[in-house]
Amino acid sequence: MRAQSKSGSRSHDANKVKPNTGKVSFEVSGTTFTVDDHYQYIKQIGHGAYGVVVSATDRRSGNKVAIKKVPKAFEDLIDAKRILREIRLLTFFEHENIISIIDLLRPPARTGYEDIYIITDLMETDMHRVIYSRQDLSDEHIQYFMYQLMRGLLFMHSANVIHRDLKPSNLLLNKNCDLKICDLGLARGFDNAKDDNLTEYVVTRWYRAPEVILNASHYSKALDIWGTGCVFAELLGRSPLFPGEDYLDQVQRIIAVLGMPSQEDMSFIGNESAKRYIKSLPKRQRVPWSTLYPKANPVALDLLNNMLVFNPDNRFNVEECLAHPYFEGLHNVDEEPVAKKPFDWTFDDFTPTKPLLQSMIYDDSLRFHPV
């Protein structure tokens, strides 16, 4: 799910109950929602990657939820497969720092339908909006945000899942500073992280690890650590660290901060032309993190230094990040759960067709709405 952050006005249409159907309809920005009648519409809160998101009250529990409608969900089969993947992941994950799926509305039939409705936790804002607001961000704020992010990432990685698109707008927040990771549509397992020809989709450019930009033969959990490090730097400086205009500019910006990589640093790059390109760039010296972030906690900068490492083999993993002194007082192994089993990616190995995807999502909805 995408960040639930953009405010929207109330719809002029009140909930319209459909007699004897158990459904209610309302219109939001030209989009008609038809949902189970225990959901009471509140307001539009934004646009997700694939659809409109609204807040609503679940009258059964009294809790507020987010409802995302994905209209014409099967027009692009690759996008539809990503939505299926995200549904499976959200259903699998049960963790305080990962957005959870509360409901998946049952479609009217196994096939032939067009729209998908996904109901998740309601969060008030996202980290992008907080970073670029006037709100003061103390070291304690940053520490708590990063700890929760690491805690959620630990659970994901222990389940054989790489997020691949960590950035501030994919980190949802509440006023009490609770954080939840969202938008898992690009996630992959470690073993099949190199076989889907989706490299250009992986990680919004500014948060993209060197091994992805340079088209390494494979990548690993370490790319999430890089993305998390970029988020960390953005919290510290209130601006993106590597806002590249294209992938060549991205490499140059990384080297301008980290310095020219050594031969050993480039050992993971299998592409000889990529190595030649890097060697052709002007020699740059490393810029101390304390120069970039003079007001930052030095302990925070030491952690950042171990995350934003050019060679993915030399980056801290998530366990090492959590054990770093920056999280002293928060880190507690007993309160940092890992997955009981790895996520089963075998379902993902199929050629998508519209009827097959519709049938699979219909089956997933039966977990929430047994026939």
Side-chain angles (χ1 to χ4, degrees):
M1 296 288 288
R2 263 304 154 94
Q4 308 156 13
S5 58
K6 296 178 184 176
S7 62
S9 58
R10 287 180 181 272
S11 169
H12 294 298
D13 289 353
N15 285 23
K16 294 178 180 177
V17 177
K18 295 192 164 190
N20 305 319
T21 64
K23 299 288 185 180
V24 64
S25 288
F26 50 87
E27 189 168 316
V28 184
S29 297
T31 298
T32 300
F33 279 64
T34 300
V35 299
D36 294 350
D37 60 10
H38 55 82
Y39 291 116
Q40 175 71 44
Y41 170 73
I42 301 174
K43 65 179 181 180
Q44 180 181 346
I45 53 174
H47 288 270
Y50 307 115
V52 178
V53 186
V54 302
S55 59
T57 301
D58 183 347
R59 288 191 287 220
R60 298 172 305 179
S61 63
N63 295 332
K64 292 180 178 179
V65 298
I67 304 176
K68 178 166 77 168
K69 177 181 180 179
V70 188
K72 299 179 181 177
F74 305 96
E75 282 193 342
D76 184 312
L77 295 181
I78 299 299
D79 282 350
K81 190 174 180 182
R82 282 186 205 140
I83 294 164
L84 171 69
R85 187 181 298 131
E86 182 168 31
I87 288 168
R88 295 273 170 103
L89 285 162
L90 293 180
T91 305
F92 175 84
F93 286 132
E94 291 184 16
H95 192 279
E96 292 170 336
N97 301 123
I98 303 172
I99 201 81
S100 59
I101 190 164
I102 294 167
D103 194 1
L104 177 64
L105 297 193
R106 193 173 78 206
R110 177 171 289 279
T111 58
Y113 63 94
E114 300 297 332
D115 306 330
I116 301 171
Y117 292 92
I118 302 170
I119 292 86
T120 64
D121 307 306
L122 178 66
M123 303 293 282
E124 291 165 294
T125 189
D126 65 56
M127 190 178 284
H128 178 85
R129 287 170 65 86
V130 169
I131 288 172
Y132 297 99
S133 71
R134 295 181 180 179
Q135 180 179 329
D136 179 52
L137 283 179
S138 66
D139 184 56
E140 289 75 19
H141 280 115
I142 296 170
Q143 181 192 49
Y144 188 49
F145 289 151
M146 291 303 301
Y147 175 70
Q148 292 179 89
L149 173 48
M150 292 293 182
R151 195 171 172 268
L153 203 54
L154 174 70
F155 194 86
M156 276 189 196
H157 285 180
S158 73
N160 191 34
V161 175
I162 312 172
H163 186 287
R164 304 205 311 172
D165 197 18
L166 290 168
K167 56 187 177 182
S169 61
N170 284 344
L171 303 172
L172 304 183
L173 300 169
N174 274 341
K175 285 194 176 76
N176 59 0
C177 296
D178 289 339
L179 178 148
K180 293 181 188 285
I181 302 168
C182 74
D183 221 342
L184 281 83
L186 291 177
R188 283 294 191 282
F190 308 158
D191 298 332
N192 61 355
K194 60 184 177 180
D195 63 3
D196 54 31
N197 300 315
L198 275 178
T199 302
E200 277 307 304
Y201 290 94
V202 178
V203 189
T204 304
R205 185 188 306 115
W206 296 353
Y207 309 91
R208 202 174 285 181
E211 61 268 29
V212 179
I213 303 170
L214 298 168
N215 202 18
S217 58
H218 69 280
Y219 47 84
S220 67
K221 294 179 283 187
L223 76 84
D224 280 346
I225 299 300
W226 179 275
T228 303
C230 292
V231 170
F232 194 7
E234 200 161 337
L235 279 165
L236 292 169
R238 309 294 283 256
S239 65
L241 177 58
F242 303 124
E245 295 177 9
D246 54 52
Y247 75 96
L248 294 178
D249 185 46
Q250 191 71 25
V251 173
Q252 291 177 36
R253 285 174 182 269
I254 290 169
I255 291 172
V257 172
L258 299 187
M260 179 62 73
S262 67
Q263 196 70 31
E264 192 277 329
D265 289 335
M266 292 192 287
S267 59
F268 69 92
I269 305 171
N271 185 329
E272 288 302 319
S273 62
K275 284 184 181 177
R276 283 195 299 274
Y277 171 72
I278 291 171
K279 290 176 182 176
S280 74
L281 295 173
K283 298 291 184 285
R284 303 295 291 266
Q285 295 299 311
R286 184 181 189 88
V287 179
W289 294 114
S290 57
T291 301
L292 291 172
Y293 306 115
K295 296 180 181 178
N297 180 341
V299 185
L301 297 183
D302 184 76
L303 174 57
L304 183 67
N305 191 55
N306 285 290
M307 296 172 70
L308 292 178
V309 176
F310 193 85
N311 187 333
D313 297 333
N314 297 334
R315 258 172 243 153
F316 266 20
N317 60 31
V318 69
E319 292 87 353
E320 289 172 311
C321 290
L322 281 164
H324 188 273
Y326 186 58
F327 297 122
E328 189 176 356
L330 290 173
H331 174 50
N332 180 346
V333 174
D334 294 335
E335 293 182 7
E336 292 159 5
V338 296
K340 293 184 174 69
K341 60 181 180 180
F343 181 74
D344 183 359
W345 285 100
T346 55
F347 83 92
D348 205 54
D349 186 21
F350 69 94
T351 301
T353 66
K354 188 171 180 178
L356 178 57
L357 284 163
Q358 288 172 330
S359 181
M360 292 174 82
I361 288 173
Y362 182 87
D363 282 339
D364 284 7
S365 77
L366 297 182
R367 299 185 188 192
F368 301 92
H369 302 271
V371 176

